[in-house]
């Protein structure tokens, strides 16, 4: 418990440091020149203090150098830092002649160590192959010192070893920072890609759901309106001769309308967000509802004969697909088959959930009637493909007349 309390107590400080760091980085991205001027101004001031105070004479090989020369060397070895982030190799190249002059004259100014800062930025921002040029520019002044002043500052191997070690440490720190920065950029890029993929998946899911709802609404509204239209036409013709038949047609219209409203409510209730207060939803139509569907079509004036072979043992999804295909086929017959047409449903159940369905009519036949709205036949094929089945729809071969819809669903794969 105590360790957990300590970790939670440290979180606000960590968040504060991270927040300040983000703000500083954001300000630096907006105003890079401000930070460059501050850093460069600090080191220029340090070099001028070393020159004005005469501290450089304590390590110089020739303490009697003119002040003007030392001032020029101090500025030449510090002012190029202003371009250390944008053009570090160019800044090192500008600094190199002053570093060579510093070594040749024996001033040995400590401000020359600022080349290590440029080496850090070269390693951090440029291709690693440029390190060879940077190392050559930084090693040249040391070679001049060894040739010009010998072992005044110590044995040559010691000077060379210290110089190479300093460059190696600066480059190693830069490589570490660069690796961490690249890793962070990869993580951020991955997070962005995941967000984009998540949004794309959400849009695809929404599009698929819209297509499913449109398909369901097409089946519900298209079928029931076709039945209601047939009943209304029949009731109008029967009103003059048989008022009782007209009343039966009106009753059937009311029953069909209520059924359509109930199915639409069930469909729209799925879209509600208030899942806690939503009433218990009735199940989607299944094979048990085929008889009622057929009776409604018969009431609309289309004679339908049904043949069923085998025992139905299908999953709810397959039952819904079969129901909707039968509904769509009968709806198209009502719309396009013409007067005196009849329909026949042949349903055969096989083992393992396999099923074969054939719906034929004796109408006019002709081109595909359901392609005009873009929902009928494509919707049936989409439902069939969900279960790996096949669907064929088209005019019956001559001399037969009418339309034929043939569906086959294979056996369900083992769970």
């Amino acid at each position: 418990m105590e360790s957990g309390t300590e970790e939670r107590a440290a979180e606000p400080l960590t968040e504060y440091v991270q927040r300040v760091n983000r703000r500083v980085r954001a300000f630096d991205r907006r105003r890079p020149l401000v930070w460059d001027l501050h850093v460069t101004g600090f080191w220029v001031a340090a070099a001028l203090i070393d020159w004005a105070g005469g501290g450089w004479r304590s390590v110089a090989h020739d303490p009697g150098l003119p002040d003007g020369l030392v001032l020029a060397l101090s500025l030449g070895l510090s002012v190029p830092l202003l371009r250390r982030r944008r053009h570090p190799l160019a800044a090192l190249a500008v600094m190199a002649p002053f570093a060579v002059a510093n070594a040749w004259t024996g001033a040995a100014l400590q401000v020359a160590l600022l080349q290590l800062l440029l080496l850090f930025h070269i390693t951090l921002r440029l291709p690693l192959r440029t390190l060879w040029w940077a190392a050559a520019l930084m090693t040249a002044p040391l070679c001049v010192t060894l040739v010009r002043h010998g072992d005044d500052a110590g044995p040559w191997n010691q000077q060379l070893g210290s110089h190479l070690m300093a460059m190696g440490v600066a480059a190693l720190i830069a490589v570490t920072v660069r690796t961490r920065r690249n890793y962070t950029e990869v993580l951020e890029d991955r997070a962005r890609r995941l967000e984009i993929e998540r949004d794309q998946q959400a849009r695809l899911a929404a599009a698929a759901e819209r297509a499913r709802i449109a398909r369901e609404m097409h089946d519900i509204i298209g079928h029931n309106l076709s039945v209601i239209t047939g009943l209304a036409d029949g009731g109008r013709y029967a009103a003059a001769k048989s008022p009782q038949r007209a009343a039966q047609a009106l009753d059937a219209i009311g029953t069909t309308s209520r059924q359509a409203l109930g199915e639409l409510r069930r469909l729209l209730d799925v879209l509600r967000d208030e899942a806690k207060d939503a009433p218990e939803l009735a199940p989607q139509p299944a094979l048990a509802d085929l008889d009622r569907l057929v009776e409604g079509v018969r009431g609309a004036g289309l004679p339908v004969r049904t043949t069923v072979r085998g025992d139905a043992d299908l999953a709810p999804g397959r039952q819904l697909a079969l129901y909707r295909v039968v509904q769509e086929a009968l709806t198209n017959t009502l719309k396009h088959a013409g007067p005196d047409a009849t329909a026949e449903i042949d349903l055969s159940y096989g083992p393992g959930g396999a099923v074969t369905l054939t719906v034929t009519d004796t109408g006019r036949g002709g081109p595909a009637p359901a392609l005009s709205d873009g929902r009928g036949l494509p919707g049936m094929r989409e439902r069939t493909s969900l279960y790996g089945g096949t669907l064929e729809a088209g005019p019956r071969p001559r001399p037969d007349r009418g339309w034929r819809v043939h569906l086959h669903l294979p056996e369900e794969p083992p769970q």
Side-chain angles (χ1 to χ4, degrees):
M1 292 298 294
E2 293 180 358
S3 60
T5 304
E6 291 176 358
E7 290 176 359
R8 286 193 295 271
E11 287 179 0
L13 178 59
T14 303
E15 293 178 357
Y16 175 77
V17 173
Q18 292 177 350
R19 187 163 57 252
V20 172
N21 186 34
R22 285 195 297 268
R23 290 179 179 176
V24 171
R25 288 180 178 272
F27 178 80
D28 184 43
R29 285 193 295 269
R30 294 193 306 268
R31 305 281 196 278
L33 185 60
V34 174
W35 180 250
D36 291 340
L37 287 174
H38 276 79
V39 173
T40 305
F42 173 81
W43 290 114
V44 169
L48 293 179
I49 291 174
D50 184 53
W51 163 73
W56 62 275
R57 291 187 174 90
S58 59
V59 295
H61 300 297
D62 185 4
L65 293 174
D67 288 344
L69 175 62
V70 177
L71 176 61
L73 293 176
S74 299
L75 294 176
L77 292 170
S78 58
V79 172
L81 286 179
L82 185 63
R83 310 297 291 175
R84 74 189 189 283
R85 291 197 292 183
R86 292 182 178 271
H87 306 286
L89 188 60
L92 182 63
V94 171
M95 194 180 291
F98 294 94
V100 171
N102 179 51
W104 180 265
T105 58
L109 297 176
Q110 299 299 305
V111 71
L113 295 176
L114 292 178
Q115 294 177 100
L116 296 174
L117 184 58
L118 293 176
L119 178 65
F120 171 86
H121 283 280
I122 290 172
T123 309
L124 183 64
R125 303 172 188 281
L126 300 181
L128 295 181
R129 62 177 179 271
T130 56
L131 285 177
W132 296 106
W133 295 101
L137 290 175
M138 294 179 62
T139 306
L142 176 64
C143 296
V144 172
T145 299
L146 293 177
V147 172
R148 177 74 170 170
H149 304 285
D151 294 341
D152 291 347
W156 70 270
N157 55 353
Q158 183 178 355
Q159 295 185 53
L160 183 61
S162 300
H163 181 75
L164 294 178
M165 181 176 292
M167 290 195 304
V169 170
L172 183 61
I173 294 174
V175 167
T176 303
V177 174
R178 182 173 184 169
T179 302
R180 182 175 178 82
R181 179 179 295 178
N182 292 341
Y183 178 70
T184 303
E185 291 177 354
V186 169
L187 290 180
E188 292 177 351
D189 181 69
R190 183 181 180 185
R192 285 193 298 270
R193 290 178 181 272
L194 288 176
E195 290 180 359
I196 294 173
E197 183 178 354
R198 179 198 63 193
D199 294 340
Q200 290 177 342
Q201 291 295 333
R203 288 194 292 269
L204 289 175
E209 185 65 11
R210 286 195 297 269
R212 185 189 70 83
I213 293 171
R215 188 169 59 239
E216 294 289 341
M217 294 189 71
H218 169 271
D219 292 341
I220 295 171
I221 297 175
H223 169 75
N224 288 285
L225 284 181
S226 296
V227 172
I228 291 172
T229 301
L231 290 170
D233 291 340
R236 184 181 61 181
Y237 291 122
K241 298 180 180 180
S242 177
Q244 183 180 2
R245 295 289 302 274
Q248 293 176 354
L250 291 176
D251 290 339
I253 289 175
T255 302
T256 304
S257 300
R258 284 189 291 271
Q259 178 184 350
L261 286 175
E263 292 190 30
L264 284 176
R265 286 195 185 101
R266 288 198 298 269
L267 179 62
L268 296 177
D269 281 341
V270 177
L271 305 179
R272 295 180 58 185
D273 294 331
E274 305 87 16
K276 296 181 180 179
D277 301 330
E280 184 177 356
L281 303 181
Q284 289 275 37
L287 293 178
D289 301 303
L290 274 179
D291 292 339
R292 186 174 59 181
L293 173 67
V294 171
E295 288 300 324
V297 174
R298 286 172 181 164
L302 176 66
V304 180
R305 186 164 64 91
T306 302
T307 303
V308 179
R309 290 185 290 271
D311 298 325
D313 185 17
L314 302 178
R318 291 188 168 218
Q319 294 190 38
L320 176 62
L322 285 173
Y323 180 91
R324 292 304 189 197
V325 169
V326 173
Q327 185 184 56
E328 179 66 25
L330 294 179
T331 301
N332 288 336
T333 301
L334 281 172
K335 290 181 183 178
H336 307 285
D340 301 326
T342 62
E344 182 177 351
I345 301 173
D346 188 288
L347 191 57
S348 177
Y349 300 107
V355 61
T356 300
L357 168 69
T358 303
V359 182
T360 57
D361 63 58
T362 60
R364 292 190 295 261
L371 288 176
S372 58
D373 58 11
R375 295 291 181 186
L377 291 179
M380 289 194 289
R381 290 194 174 94
E382 288 175 8
R383 291 181 185 277
T384 306
S385 64
L386 289 177
Y387 303 97
T390 58
L391 185 137
E392 300 174 358
R396 298 171 66 186
R398 294 184 178 182
D400 295 331
R401 294 181 58 191
W403 192 266
R404 175 180 178 270
V405 175
H406 180 76
L407 175 147
H408 175 71
L409 297 181
E411 296 183 12
E412 294 187 77
Q415 300 296 326

